[in-house]
Amino acid sequence: MRNEEQDTIETTETMDGTRPESAVPANAKEVRKFTHAEALTNCRLDPSGRYAFAGAEDFGVYRWNLETGEKVIYRGIHDSWVRRIDFSNDGTHVFTSGWDGRVVVWEVDPETVEKIELPVEKAGEGRSDKTDGEVTQTVESEIELVVDNPVRIVDAHRGFARWVHAGPNGKYVATCGNDKVIRLWDAKRWKLRKEFSGHGRHPYAVMIHPDGESLVSEDLMGEIFVWNARTGQRLKELKSGMTGFDNKFQADMGGARDMAFNQDGSLVGCAGITNVVNSFAGQQDPIICIVDWESKEITSHLRTKSNSPGVAWGVRFHPEGYVVGAMGNQNGKGTVEFWSLTESSPENSAEVKGDSAGCDGSGEAVVEEEKKPREIKPFHVVEVDKPVRGIDFTKDGRRFIVACSDGSLRVYQI
Amino acid sequence: MQTLLKIAGLISLLLGVTRVQAQPLHDIIDTFIVTAQGESSSIQSASLDDYGFARRVYLDLTGRIPTVSELLEFVGDSEPQKREVLVERLLASPAYARHMQYTFDVMFMERLPKKHVPPEEFQTYLRKSFAENKPYNRLATEILTADGSVPELRAASRFLLDREIKREETVRAIGRVFLGRDLQCAQCHNHPNVDGYLQQHYYGVAAFLQRSYLFTDPSSKVVSIGDKIEGDVTFTSVFTGEDGKTQPRLLGLPEIQDPQQEEQPYEVKPDSKNRGVPKYSRRLQLAPAMTSSDNLAFRQNIANRIWAMMVGQGFVEPLDMFHEGNAASHPELLTALANDFMLHDYDIKYLIKEIVMTQTYQRQSELKVQDFADGNSRYLNGTLKPLSPEQFAWSLLQAVGVVEKTERSVIAALEKEDANFKEATAQSAVLIEGKVSVALKSQIDSIVKVFAGSNAASRFDASADHALYLLNGPEVAKWLAAGQDMLLDQLLKVDDNQALVSRVFLTIYSRMPSDPELKLAVEFLSVGEQGREEAVRELVRTLLCSAEFRFNK
Amino acid sequence: MTMRRNAGCNTIDHHVTRRQFMGTGAMAGAMAGFGSLLTPAMAGEMKSKQKQILQVYLQGGVSQFEAWDPKPGTKYGGPFRPISTSVPGLQICELLPYTASKMHLLSVVRSINLETDDHTVGRLFMEKGRKNGDYPFVGAVASKYLTTPDNPLPGYVHITTRGIVDQTAGFLESKHAMMRLEGVKPPTNLERPQGVPKELAIRAEGLRKQLNNQFGGKRSRALIDSYDTSFEQAQQLMARADLFEKQDEKELDRYGRHWFGRRCLLAKTLLEEGVTCVKVTHHGYDTHAENFNFHVEQLDEFDKTFATLLGDIEERGMLDNVLVVIYSEFGRTPKVNHKYGRDHWGKSFSIALGGCGIQPGGVIGATNADGTEVSEREVDGAHLFHTYMQAVGIDSQSNHALDGRAVPIGDPVAAPIKELLS
């Protein structure tokens, strides 16, 4: 892999007069692209910002060194897809939660990395012929770097382990799964400390608040619960509308595809879908709901610019306060979109077709008149030629990675 | 032998150029069916009496049973030519046009839902065509020519446009509807068992449309048919692997060669804004080729279909399976009819009237000799025909009094509007029929929906759902409720049970009850503890549920 | 004449000549004859113990990867693992744990290739055993040849709310056509209108019959008979309106209170009451997006309910006489698309079946290692149709009992899957 790092950063002043050293979404550009033979399911940057981790549809977890491009394969333990990755507070360990019900603890910098020699494959042949047109450079490489010795394997849930999140202060890790329970684990020894039931359907995501006192989780029906982490009491139940029932096909679709706190925990972002038209065909609207932590209400609906059908697969709060979302569209393309929660600009006051009356899927207003969520449109959109399935930012917010359905992991600079 | 020669002579006359005939067509038909076949008169069914005749022609020509007063007026008329007079009157009525509209709409469009042309527009187009007795070859030409680009002619384009000129569906429809041949099998190979259906037949039809395409106007979004100058048809047999190709052709007739291509082959070149209009269009050769006097299949098919419509059974059955292995029951007669139809400029009313005036048509369906095989196919007895969903809907509404009540209120409204309004003129009749149809449309549609289901081929399909609808359905209950000034109320005014039963039979069966039936029905009314209203209602409902009402005997 | 391969023709007409074809376009479909069975020997045997069929139709195309033919650890295998079943060596997807415990009652056919990815073409092929043409469905054929003459209920009932309407009787009498029940809702118009005392209704029905007899006395009977039948069926349903009443609470707990549970419970009831062929549709499985999340849900709903139904049939000693078939119109693509979906795949998919006449615990055919094509014993809808018929004692290689017409019951180009038959 050749190093293609950019040396300069744009220095033009932006319209809102922020300092030129700020990240400027309008300047976002792809600076690097790593490829993999199978579709990626999600991605994370480790706390040090050196590595991009991604799960893939071949059950593996892949770590790319953003500097050198070196690719390390974490495999052999999960026998299903890893859909969520998190890290220990100190950044030494990576947690992968998989649809095999396991959460596996690995080292971010493993001491032993196996070198496996592969037979040379000619370009264009080999395992990669089913990906969307990409002939991978990686297949041609002769050495595979493999990590197959995790620190720990936890049978976290019956059915999928859908989510893993490390809470603050290195104390707890939260997981949730298809057994409909949320579990709090001791972060060091992974003993089960607490278990919370209450979701009627599969919880898709659970996060521990930065204050360590509360949990927030969302399930298939778009029900967002806020829990007291100590007592297990449910402090709040929100119907987000991030769900839909397809009458023809008699099935529900919904749930958080991603969830994130902002830095101080005053906001939670939940990414997913709403306005289901034909869920089997993937016809529904992507949406990000922003929950105000203090009021525990949904205050904003972030809509995509084009409102084309698809799924919001990722949500992040940028250190400078705006929200970033990653979309996979039904038409086979993707976007990364940027919203401002504070500025009133023409984009923000846009009328959103279809759903301003309510977000509970029934078309009726759920919140009281004064408290209806704001419908916000993005101020900037980065087009991606493939559906984006995950997004993550460096701590300084200057770079972000996206994982795509064609197996590519792309690095952007803003 | 003598008779055979006579027949042969007559038929060859029919094949000639002139329209001079020794005998009217209906006599020729009867003579042929009985005498030419050497049939014994002892097994023929009796002729319909006046009641039976009235019911049958009202159903076959206007799509509904007669009212009691219409019936009694006809029966009581002593005019010797009254049957012919009635037929002529019915053919001239607006209900005839509507009935033909229903029948031909199903034939052309198989109850396909709307795609690009609203079904109502096509139906109106048909109705107007039959009202003005448009010659059938002209109707066929319009339907096969319309491309949807001219608003006034767009309705006729539904046949091609709503099949989106998709080859499989369109070639099949053209073959079945206009040639009486379901060519579908011949798509891949010569029909394995039907020697007459060759691949070249299928692709010969396909070739007419090969260069046509659907064009959507970018601004109006209206979809129409355009033509290009390229596109040839080739085919390979899945059995023999042989290749073939063909220019447009119909069945065994010669291929229609493209003329020498000009330097500027287009009137309007096809592009994103314009539908292509070449100077020579293969598609536009289809209608003239189809209706040409060289194409025997065209007129044989329509003659067969109209015959089947009236008599209940085609010379060729199924109607879309003309081929050598499926011989017509009376091949010479079929051809004679076809040619006569052509010689009379495809005048539909003419053909229908001639058929209706035959003794053949007027035979009862009751057999003279029990269990005799092939009686139907030799036309020695009438054929029991189920009412089409539309006939049943109208007859049902007629019987319970909805039609009459609606007519009265339509006429009252018209009289209110215009003091000079005269109910009895031909013009008013059209107006009244139109308004009554509009008023009853939703009820008719809902009954048709129950009885047609999704059955596009108008096959008789008796299901428990239909029975439950009649027995227990709220619609029927509503129509039979008292206090509506309809049938039930009229009956309840009649004290004498025998008179009441007669009235019921006349209304629903269009005939008088026999003595045993009278006894049976009167007993039904008098026995039991129910109230009179309940008993009368159930008597009516029972007759409505009976086979005699369901069929056109 | 030699019979050539049916490459998609309206084959009913292949056998028809004018003389033989009974009736007009109007009369087509109304055939005479109750009890005109195949051979006297077969007729006798069939009547002694009524055989029945239960069809469970997973509409939309269940993924064979996520059901009967898992491919763990392969490129297209997906995120699920297989589990062992009550049949040693047979594994199915982990999404079917309850069914897995009952696999000793079923066999799996893994090598179906319908050569179509079209819902309608696939569905009709699976039901008629013919790729084209107007033929009767499995249920209609079963209704005709298996129903005992004194059976008071319709012979072919389909419990569904999926709005697909098919012509199911083909050229058989209309009484063998599918009677559709809207879920567990009673048929429309099942109740006598108010103000019609029972005694009067009975006398009215008697009068109707007398009038029809009078009318039909000297007329050809076929049409009138079929019309009569429709009223008899209506009366049957009205008499058994209780079948549609509130379902037992304990049973609902066992079957599941969701709509599929309720319908399977009704299906069990109808089978117990002697309905010849009961079909239940479960939808939907057409998972072009989120194939895996949806299969989790749909099969979760299917699995326990179906296992309960199958278990009940077995427990009641009915399984020897009831053929059970679980099928779709096709399977799903090996490749997972960008929406985490799988698309249509008629090239290599599976069904499961068992009960009457079927050798249980077997696996017929196979797909290759990554599930992209059939690798052995390829079969299609025609072979399956033959097999169903033979299993319930109908000789699929003989002709339908129609006056004057010779129409083979099963497509002559195919034969029953002998290894499946017990």
Side-chain angles (χ1 to χ4, degrees):
Chain A
M1 278 297 182
R2 295 193 316 129
N3 195 327
E4 295 173 350
E5 249 198 307
Q6 300 281 26
D7 290 319
T8 57
I9 291 167
E10 299 281 345
T11 54
T12 22
E13 267 201 84
T14 57
M15 278 189 351
D16 62 1
T18 50
R19 292 165 296 134
E21 287 87 352
S22 313
V24 179
N27 298 337
K29 56 160 84 103
E30 183 186 305
V31 296
R32 199 111 195 225
K33 183 167 165 181
F34 304 117
T35 53
H36 181 63
E38 293 291 332
L40 300 181
T41 61
N42 69 326
C43 62
R44 291 297 302 275
L45 283 165
D46 83 294
S48 72
R50 286 172 298 143
Y51 299 124
F53 280 82
E57 286 183 17
D58 56 10
F59 307 172
V61 176
Y62 298 88
R63 188 198 81 181
W64 282 276
N65 183 310
L66 294 186
E67 251 356 83
T68 65
E70 179 190 72
K71 178 183 182 183
V72 172
I73 308 166
Y74 288 64
R75 71 170 181 221
I77 307 301
H78 281 293
D79 55 10
S80 185
W81 298 342
V82 168
R83 296 288 291 258
R84 173 68 181 176
I85 294 168
D86 203 6
F87 300 90
S88 56
N89 288 171
D90 63 10
T92 56
H93 289 90
V94 55
F95 309 136
T96 55
S97 80
W99 278 17
D100 51 5
R102 297 188 185 116
V103 173
V104 181
V105 183
W106 318 75
E107 289 171 306
V108 169
D109 279 302
E111 277 180 36
T112 38
V113 175
E114 258 184 85
K115 286 186 170 50
I116 296 178
E117 207 171 298
L118 282 183
V120 176
E121 293 174 22
K122 296 208 198 91
E125 288 176 13
R127 314 171 2 245
S128 63
D129 58 316
K130 290 293 190 277
T131 54
D132 298 341
E134 298 284 333
V135 175
T136 66
Q137 299 287 328
T138 339
V139 172
E140 287 182 325
S141 75
E142 295 171 8
I143 310 282
E144 261 189 357
L145 303 170
V146 176
V147 174
D148 56 11
N149 53 333
V151 171
R152 187 185 299 277
I153 303 169
V154 181
D155 283 317
H157 290 278
R158 256 188 10 256
F160 305 167
R162 286 193 185 258
W163 204 260
V164 61
H165 180 237
N169 311 318
K171 277 181 78 180
Y172 291 120
V173 181
T175 64
C176 66
N178 278 8
D179 45 14
K180 303 187 203 160
V181 295
I182 289 161
R183 295 195 162 128
L184 274 187
W185 309 81
D186 168 281
K188 297 267 174 341
R189 280 186 286 216
W190 283 87
K191 292 251 184 292
L192 178 61
R193 292 293 181 216
K194 288 195 173 68
E195 194 171 284
F196 305 113
S197 307
H199 277 295
R201 304 293 288 273
H202 298 163
Y204 273 47
V206 61
M207 309 269 290
I208 304 175
H209 192 272
D211 69 8
E213 300 288 314
S214 326
L215 301 176
V216 61
S217 59
E218 184 183 341
D219 68 14
L220 169 66
M221 302 306 288
E223 305 224 329
I224 298 177
F225 290 173
V226 179
W227 313 73
N228 177 316
R230 242 178 260 284
T231 64
Q233 187 202 358
R234 274 204 294 287
L235 303 173
K236 182 80 187 199
E237 291 176 21
L238 278 175
K239 286 194 184 347
S240 71
M242 295 174 67
T243 186
F245 180 75
D246 194 320
N247 244 313
K248 203 160 136 192
F249 299 109
Q250 297 281 316
D252 295 295
M253 165 136 147
R257 298 299 193 265
D258 197 8
M259 198 185 263
F261 281 105
N262 64 353
Q263 279 69 21
D264 60 8
S266 57
L267 296 173
V268 189
C270 305
I273 57 128
T274 190
N275 280 348
V276 165
V277 168
N278 178 344
S279 50
F280 277 43
Q283 267 198 295
Q284 68 280 320
D285 293 341
I287 192 171
I288 292 173
C289 288
I290 304 292
V291 181
D292 172 78
W293 191 252
E294 198 183 306
S295 64
K296 306 286 189 300
E297 296 289 353
I298 296 173
T299 50
S300 307
H301 284 160
L302 308 186
R303 304 289 195 158
T304 57
K305 186 164 188 149
S306 64
N307 210 40
S308 57
V311 179
W313 285 106
V315 59
R316 288 288 180 274
F317 288 88
H318 193 274
E320 291 185 24
Y322 46 81
V323 183
V324 189
M327 309 294 151
N329 290 336
Q330 189 205 24
N331 63 8
K333 301 225 185 301
T335 57
V336 176
E337 314 209 7
F338 298 79
W339 294 263
S340 166
L341 296 180
T342 52
E343 288 185 21
S344 56
S345 64
E347 293 91 3
N348 286 357
S349 57
E351 275 291 314
V352 178
K353 45 181 183 216
D355 200 38
S356 46
C359 51
D360 67 344
S362 70
E364 290 166 16
V366 170
V367 295
E368 289 158 31
E369 287 300 295
E370 321 82 62
K371 292 194 196 147
K372 262 204 306 215
R374 278 171 68 212
E375 304 287 326
I376 309 182
K377 287 286 213 182
F379 64 84
H380 183 62
V381 173
V382 175
E383 306 281 350
V384 184
D385 66 324
K386 292 290 173 203
V388 179
R389 289 184 168 173
I391 186 169
D392 204 9
F393 271 81
T394 52
K395 280 210 170 75
D396 63 2
R398 307 307 281 280
R399 289 209 280 180
F400 64 89
I401 55 169
V402 295
C404 295
S405 64
D406 65 346
S408 64
L409 185 101
R410 309 176 193 204
V411 185
Y412 284 76
Q413 182 124 321
I414 58 174
Chain B
M1 188 53 183
Q2 284 280 19
T3 332
L4 266 172
L5 285 171
K6 189 170 167 197
I7 300 298
L10 288 167
I11 288 176
S12 57
L13 199 67
L14 288 174
L15 294 169
V17 187
T18 67
R19 291 170 58 163
V20 173
Q21 288 154 218
Q23 280 179 295
L25 183 60
H26 59 265
D27 283 338
I28 294 178
I29 293 170
D30 284 326
T31 316
F32 200 95
I33 283 180
V34 178
T35 321
Q37 308 285 77
E39 301 283 6
S40 159
S41 59
S42 62
I43 51 175
Q44 293 164 46
S45 292
S47 232
L48 289 167
D49 62 12
D50 279 347
Y51 291 96
F53 179 79
R55 184 169 192 267
R56 186 180 287 182
V57 289
Y58 266 86
L59 278 167
D60 284 343
L61 301 184
T62 67
R64 61 169 178 81
I65 54 175
T67 63
V68 175
S69 54
E70 284 168 341
L71 181 67
L72 293 178
E73 197 188 309
F74 175 74
V75 169
D77 189 352
S78 53
E79 148 80 53
Q81 304 303 322
K82 66 179 179 180
R83 289 193 176 192
E84 192 173 345
V85 169
L86 176 62
V87 170
E88 301 234 312
R89 186 158 56 77
L90 295 181
L91 284 173
S93 72
Y96 161 78
R98 189 166 302 272
H99 175 56
M100 289 286 119
Q101 165 213 305
Y102 288 139
T103 311
F104 278 81
D105 186 32
V106 173
M107 180 181 100
F108 286 126
M109 293 312 304
E110 302 171 89
R111 302 191 194 277
L112 287 173
K114 174 193 169 176
K115 262 247 171 78
H116 303 292
V117 179
E120 297 75 35
E121 283 179 23
F122 183 67
Q123 286 152 7
T124 303
Y125 160 77
L126 285 178
R127 193 168 68 252
K128 286 200 174 125
S129 301
F130 289 110
E132 72 190 47
N133 201 27
K134 183 179 291 177
Y136 183 71
N137 58 335
R138 186 142 67 83
L139 182 67
T141 298
E142 287 172 5
I143 285 173
L144 289 173
T145 308
D147 52 33
S149 64
V150 180
E152 298 80 37
L153 305 173
R154 187 171 167 83
S157 69
R158 175 155 146 86
F159 180 80
L160 290 176
L161 207 49
D162 279 10
R163 292 182 168 91
E164 301 199 313
I165 44 170
K166 283 187 188 146
R167 178 195 281 181
E168 247 180 74
E169 291 162 47
T170 312
V171 171
R172 187 161 186 240
I174 292 172
R176 292 179 61 231
V177 169
F178 292 106
L179 295 170
R181 286 153 169 81
D182 186 348
L183 295 173
Q184 190 191 45
C185 279
Q187 192 175 11
C188 296
H189 49 77
N190 291 346
H191 203 292
N193 292 8
V194 179
D195 289 338
Y197 294 177
L198 305 176
Q199 275 187 294
Q200 84 186 31
H201 295 166
Y202 181 92
Y203 288 103
V205 173
F208 284 97
L209 298 170
Q210 184 66 18
R211 297 175 176 180
S212 306
Y213 66 102
L214 283 189
F215 167 77
T216 306
D217 187 287
S219 46
S220 69
K221 303 294 179 216
V222 168
V223 178
S224 59
I225 302 173
D227 297 313
K228 299 197 168 118
I229 55 171
E230 305 90 21
D232 277 312
V233 161
T234 55
F235 50 93
T236 313
S237 168
V238 301
F239 284 163
T240 65
E242 273 166 34
D243 280 341
K245 53 150 74 122
T246 181
Q247 304 263 34
R249 75 189 300 183
L250 289 179
L251 303 177
L253 292 167
E255 285 177 286
I256 299 168
Q257 302 292 345
D258 296 333
Q260 187 82 308
Q261 198 168 88
E262 299 178 34
E263 265 200 34
Q264 307 279 26
Y266 283 106
E267 296 279 3
V268 178
K269 231 172 157 203
D271 58 33
S272 62
K273 293 206 180 65
N274 299 295
R275 54 180 273 274
V277 183
K279 288 183 178 159
Y280 173 80
S281 154
R282 281 188 173 184
R283 181 176 54 83
L284 293 178
Q285 310 310 312
L286 178 58
M290 183 65 74
T291 57
S292 149
S293 57
D294 292 335
N295 185 15
L296 181 60
F298 173 73
R299 56 186 183 273
Q300 275 187 327
N301 169 61
I302 186 61
N304 190 48
R305 284 181 179 275
I306 292 178
W307 174 259
M309 231 179 260
M310 294 298 129
V311 170
Q313 177 137 305
F315 297 111
V316 173
E317 283 282 356
L319 301 177
D320 55 4
M321 287 301 291
F322 267 78
H323 63 83
E324 270 168 28
N326 187 23
S329 60
H330 300 74
E332 299 89 351
L333 182 56
L334 170 61
T335 305
L337 275 182
N339 289 334
D340 190 59
F341 190 41
M342 176 180 70
L343 288 172
H344 281 84
D345 299 323
Y346 294 94
D347 180 343
I348 297 172
K349 283 190 186 177
Y350 159 77
L351 183 58
I352 288 177
K353 183 181 165 196
E354 287 302 315
I355 294 172
V356 169
M357 295 315 296
T358 58
Q359 285 172 19
T360 304
Y361 172 84
Q362 294 181 31
R363 284 201 186 97
Q364 289 184 25
S365 60
E366 219 171 342
L367 304 171
K368 204 151 178 197
V369 174
Q370 186 60 41
D371 283 340
F372 103 89
D374 298 354
N376 277 354
S377 62
R378 287 146 69 189
Y379 303 112
L380 301 177
N381 47 259
T383 303
L384 204 58
K385 299 191 307 235
L387 269 53
S388 72
E390 286 81 4
Q391 281 174 319
F392 190 70
W394 277 98
S395 300
L396 187 55
L397 292 178
Q398 169 76 43
V400 300
V402 169
V403 176
E404 253 173 310
K405 187 172 177 186
T406 309
E407 259 172 15
R408 286 201 304 271
S409 78
V410 160
I411 291 169
L414 285 168
E415 283 171 346
K416 203 164 165 205
E417 261 176 50
D418 175 11
N420 294 328
F421 179 78
K422 292 268 184 291
E423 182 187 332
T425 68
Q427 207 180 22
S428 311
V430 175
L431 191 59
I432 294 167
E433 197 275 340
K435 283 186 183 284
V436 169
S437 293
V438 166
L440 293 178
K441 182 168 176 8
S442 63
Q443 284 181 86
I444 296 283
D445 285 349
S446 75
I447 301 170
V448 168
K449 193 159 172 224
V450 173
F451 284 85
S454 69
N455 192 348
S458 43
R459 272 170 39 157
F460 179 56
D461 179 28
S463 84
D465 293 333
H466 302 165
L468 288 170
Y469 176 87
L470 291 172
L471 286 172
N472 303 334
E475 298 85 356
V476 175
K478 192 165 56 104
W479 295 324
L480 297 181
Q484 301 188 86
D485 198 23
M486 297 203 298
L487 177 65
L488 190 76
D489 290 333
Q490 289 166 15
L491 292 174
L492 290 176
K493 289 186 191 141
V494 180
D495 290 322
D496 176 50
N497 275 350
Q498 289 204 349
L500 188 148
V501 169
S502 299
R503 180 91 195 170
V504 171
F505 271 67
L506 283 171
T507 307
I508 299 175
Y509 287 167
S510 304
R511 65 174 173 86
M512 294 293 284
S514 64
D515 285 335
E517 285 172 335
L518 204 52
K519 191 157 174 275
L520 191 64
V522 167
E523 197 186 320
F524 179 82
L525 287 177
S526 1
V527 163
E529 291 172 12
Q530 71 285 329
R532 186 167 172 68
E533 185 186 312
E534 283 73 32
V536 171
R537 178 177 302 116
E538 287 318 301
L539 177 64
V540 169
R541 198 202 308 270
T542 302
L543 263 69
L544 290 174
C545 290
S546 68
E548 186 165 345
F549 183 67
R550 188 69 183 83
F551 296 99
N552 185 354
K553 56 172 215 233
Chain C
M1 60 186 81
T2 52
M3 190 64 67
R4 287 197 258 180
R5 194 186 186 287
N6 176 2
C9 315
N10 197 343
T11 0
I12 177 60
D13 305 305
H14 292 180
H15 307 279
V16 166
T17 67
R18 203 210 168 280
R19 287 266 147 198
Q20 291 169 339
F21 190 86
M22 202 178 125
T24 66
M27 281 179 72
M31 300 299 155
F34 285 80
S36 45
L37 298 173
L38 305 169
T39 68
M42 295 192 81
E45 194 188 51
M46 272 194 263
K47 278 188 194 172
S48 59
K49 286 175 292 192
Q50 197 193 321
K51 306 265 190 267
Q52 294 167 283
I53 301 182
L54 168 67
Q55 291 180 298
V56 181
Y57 172 45
L58 304 182
Q59 187 275 326
V62 69
S63 166
Q64 68 281 9
F65 292 93
E66 276 69 61
W68 313 113
D69 193 10
K71 298 285 180 189
T74 65
K75 190 173 163 69
Y76 304 118
F80 299 119
R81 290 166 291 193
I83 49 174
S84 294
T85 67
S86 53
V87 175
L90 172 63
Q91 293 198 308
I92 62 177
C93 182
E94 61 176 325
L95 298 182
L96 295 166
Y98 288 93
T99 306
S101 70
K102 295 259 183 282
M103 286 311 285
H104 58 283
L105 300 174
L106 300 172
S107 285
V108 180
V109 178
R110 285 179 167 161
S111 49
I112 306 171
N113 180 2
L114 293 188
E115 291 180 352
T116 181
D117 288 337
D118 179 280
H119 283 292
T120 305
V121 174
R123 179 179 76 253
L124 295 179
F125 196 4
M126 290 297 273
E127 290 285 3
K128 298 186 298 186
R130 297 290 216 289
K131 204 155 187 187
N132 275 294
D134 189 23
Y135 286 91
F137 280 31
V138 169
V141 178
S143 168
K144 179 165 174 74
Y145 297 114
L146 301 180
T147 311
T148 52
D150 52 355
N151 192 322
L153 285 170
Y156 176 22
V157 176
H158 183 188
I159 309 169
T160 182
T161 48
R162 192 81 175 86
I164 302 169
V165 185
D166 286 322
Q167 291 303 311
T168 58
F171 43 75
L172 298 180
E173 297 96 314
S174 52
K175 67 179 174 155
H176 299 303
M178 161 187 106
M179 145 143 292
R180 218 176 98 117
L181 295 180
E182 290 279 323
V184 298
K185 242 176 59 181
T188 330
N189 300 323
L190 205 54
E191 266 181 38
R192 268 281 177 192
Q194 285 213 339
V196 183
K198 190 161 178 210
E199 177 265 331
L200 179 59
I202 293 172
R203 288 198 303 114
E205 171 64 9
L207 178 62
R208 187 192 67 77
K209 283 210 189 74
Q210 276 184 290
L211 291 171
N212 280 4
N213 278 337
Q214 179 70 13
F215 182 68
K218 285 204 186 132
R219 294 181 168 86
S220 65
R221 294 281 334 186
L223 283 170
I224 299 166
D225 280 347
S226 86
Y227 197 48
D228 258 334
T229 301
S230 67
F231 280 85
E232 276 156 28
Q233 280 186 339
Q235 299 289 356
Q236 286 166 1
L237 290 171
M238 286 163 70
R240 293 311 309 274
D242 63 295
L243 290 174
F244 306 102
E245 275 160 22
K246 197 166 180 309
Q247 295 174 306
D248 181 86
E249 292 296 310
K250 281 211 198 71
E251 292 287 80
L252 280 175
D253 283 335
R254 293 177 57 233
Y255 275 76
R257 286 166 184 276
H258 45 76
W259 58 269
F260 183 62
R262 291 172 189 274
R263 286 179 205 175
C264 284
L265 183 52
L266 177 59
K268 181 188 77 149
T269 307
L270 293 177
L271 284 168
E272 285 170 337
E273 295 287 334
V275 172
T276 306
C277 178
V278 179
K279 177 175 168 184
V280 186
T281 292
H282 190 219
H283 55 93
Y285 286 88
D286 192 20
T287 49
H288 293 280
E290 293 286 5
N291 173 76
F292 306 95
N293 276 324
F294 276 132
H295 272 77
V296 166
E297 272 183 76
Q298 301 291 42
L299 289 178
D300 182 55
E301 197 173 79
F302 164 82
D303 182 45
K304 189 160 178 222
T305 299
F306 171 71
T308 306
L309 176 57
L310 184 61
D312 280 357
I313 291 171
E314 191 214 3
E315 211 189 311
R316 279 153 180 67
M318 288 165 66
L319 198 55
D320 283 338
N321 288 329
V322 177
L323 169 68
V324 179
V325 186
I326 313 105
Y327 65 108
S328 285
E329 63 265 46
F330 42 55
R332 304 213 77 81
T333 51
K335 181 160 155 57
V336 175
N337 67 32
H338 69 84
K339 299 174 294 217
Y340 288 114
R342 293 196 199 263
D343 303 306
H344 301 174
W345 189 257
K347 222 175 117 173
S348 52
F349 72 103
S350 315
I351 66 161
L353 73 172
C356 181
I358 299 291
Q359 197 77 251
V363 177
I364 306 298
T367 49
N368 61 0
D370 61 4
T372 52
E373 60 184 11
V374 170
S375 58
E376 45 180 89
R377 196 53 171 111
E378 184 174 298
V379 297
D380 64 20
H383 302 94
L384 293 172
F385 187 90
H386 273 279
T387 310
Y388 307 147
M389 292 298 129
Q390 298 289 152
V392 293
I394 298 172
D395 183 3
S396 60
Q397 290 166 313
S398 68
N399 292 330
H400 276 289
L402 300 172
D403 290 340
R405 283 201 284 164
V407 181
I409 294 181
D411 191 339
V413 304
I417 304 169
K418 289 216 163 61
E419 317 88 280
L420 258 183
L421 297 169
S422 63

